[in-house]
Amino acid sequence: MPFTLATWNINSVRLREPLVLRLLTEELPDVLCLQECKSPVDKIPLDGFRALGYNWIVARGQKGYNGVAILSRLPLVDAGDRDFANLGHARHVAAALENGVTIHNVYVPAGGDVPDREVNAKFGQKLDFLTEMRDWAHGAPPAKSILVGDLNIAPREDDVWSHKQLLKIVSHTPVEVEHLGAAQDAGRWVDITRKDIPDGKLYSWWSYRAADWNAADKGRRLDHIWATPDIANAAHSSRVLRDARGWTQPSDHVPVFATFDL
């Protein structure tokens, strides 16, 4: 059963409901994972999504911050959540498809502005979150699983507009990249996007601060699709929908897609 999956940090699902509806209408992903929904679950605008055939939703939410949701045209069931680093945040939810695939939707903390846990508690929380992701995978090795989301780290040199200039900027510091790599290795997760698009600059986020984001093109690849080795070879057709950054009232992130023949 081939299915296409997309992940998108929507930066408020209620504010940007029209953009979600546009994506669902134009791109027709079978499963859409949203992060930073900034809404309690009972306030997520589901009627419009259901009208387009997305009748299954698994979500965790909170007022004004964080929040993760999985919208699907395919039947799925809630597969739980984890409170990594005991932050009390809605940053993870899982769902299981009928074909036995488990989808994990993750929103890693951004980590603040200073890459030093001694002076910036948010940076320490980010590292602790990633460490617990690593330990979780070691404790219960994932199989037939996909992990997606805004992981808030651009790990490769070609995942940022300037490796040299961002080495001391949160999201590309060596300690963050090391922690993300440890979490990835623990689950033997395959970076599907880079399996399909192995070379060249690739971004999924552009700051709101740029007067002309497209011309400046100072992006980072913060949004990821990973899969366990037993299904990684079934993945293909990865792409980043860059044009969505230019939509009206856009998120600063854009959707990332992959198709799985399972």
Side-chain angles (χ1 to χ4, degrees), residues 117-134:
R117 69 181 305 148
E118 299 303 319
V119 298
N120 173 17
K122 290 182 178 180
F123 193 72
Q125 290 173 353
K126 182 176 191 175
L127 299 183
D128 292 345
F129 190 103
L130 293 163
T131 296
E132 290 205 15
M133 282 181 62
R134 178 201 68 190

Side-chain angles (χ1 to χ4, degrees), residues 170-192:
V170 173
S171 78
H172 192 60
T173 65
V175 66
E176 290 171 273
V177 172
E178 179 182 349
H179 276 66
L180 183 69
Q184 183 178 356
D185 291 346
R188 300 176 63 215
W189 297 106
V190 177
D191 181 345
I192 296 300

